[in-house]
Every structure is written in structure tokens, then in C-alpha cells.
Amino acid sequence: MENPVVNFYEDIAVGQTATFGKTVTEADILMFSGVSGDTNPVHLNQEYAETTMFKGRIAHGMLSAGLISAVFGTKLPGPGCIYVSQSLKFKAPVRIGDTVIAKVECTAKVDEKKFITFRTTCYVGDKAVVDGEATLMVPSKG
């Protein structure tokens, strides 16, 4: 991964955005399943997944949501930020081979707490697959 960007609370403006993208692989799904313990066959078993509404295997929703964390930890705000909350709506499935772009946008700042609220969205092409909002505590210069 590239060198992380460090932004302090004072450096971030409402409207500022950052993105991170990743193409989902078979290995990503297997590793996520192993780390999380989520062995739902809709993620791991093609024959089973073909019997579901998705008609094939899909990636774990939280795998895509994890890319939002990658943006926060490496780009905006960057190292030192701490998650306070995250809401998520899973809007469409992600499949092996899909490239997921996670985007965060600063929507509000709370100076007394050094909290920043972000809109969080993941896209495959121009289709939103995850939508939500996060609040982070961000280090201050002073």
C-alpha cells in the first residue's frame, strides 16, 4: 500500500473527499471468511449460491465496507483517526472480479470534540453498493 497521508482535524474541510479502490478476488473472499468466521455458503459455495436470489457467489458486504476503513486509515483523515460510529446500507451485491471504489466525503465537523462526520459510499462502476455515514475522532495539531 502507498504511504499514508496524515491530515489533522484543522486540515480537513467540509466537502473534502478521498477514495480507495480494490478488485475483489477469490483469495479476498476466502481470507475474509477465515478472519471473520463468516462461512455463509453464499460467499463460498457456487452450487449453493446459484440457488439464491443472487444466482451465484457474492462477496461479504463487510469486505466492501472494510475498504471505507482503508480510506480513513491511509488517506482521509489518515493515521491516528479513530472510528466512533458507522452506519451502513448494503444496496447491491459485489462479485469476484468487481472493482469496488470506496469514497468518503467530509460532511460536518464538531470542533469541541474534534469529531468529523463523513458520507461513506462504495461503488462498482457507477452503481452504489454500500451507502452510509461515519463519525471519526481526528487528531488535532494543538
Side-chain angles (χ1 to χ4, degrees), residues 57-119:
R57 292 173 59 199
I58 60 172
H60 302 74
M62 293 305 289
L63 192 154
S64 294
L67 301 180
I68 297 166
S69 183
V71 179
F72 287 145
T74 64
K75 294 187 176 190
L76 183 66
C81 68
I82 302 295
Y83 254 116
V84 175
S85 67
Q86 173 77 61
S87 67
L88 296 168
K89 291 182 183 174
F90 298 97
K91 301 174 82 57
V94 172
R95 301 179 188 279
I96 294 170
D98 285 349
T99 298
V100 179
I101 305 295
K103 178 181 178 183
V104 304
E105 178 182 359
C106 175
T107 58
K109 297 176 73 173
V110 180
D111 293 340
E112 58 274 6
K113 291 187 175 187
K114 305 298 187 243
F115 282 7
I116 300 180
T117 302
F118 293 87
R119 176 158 188 219

Side-chain angles (χ1 to χ4, degrees), residues 17-50:
T17 65
T19 61
F20 176 81
K22 178 169 189 359
T23 300
V24 176
T25 67
E26 169 81 13
D28 294 327
I29 292 172
L30 293 175
M31 288 188 292
F32 190 87
S33 182
V35 168
S36 68
D38 181 350
T39 58
N40 184 334
V42 76
H43 307 304
L44 303 174
N45 183 306
Q46 181 64 24
E47 287 180 9
Y48 171 83
E50 286 173 359

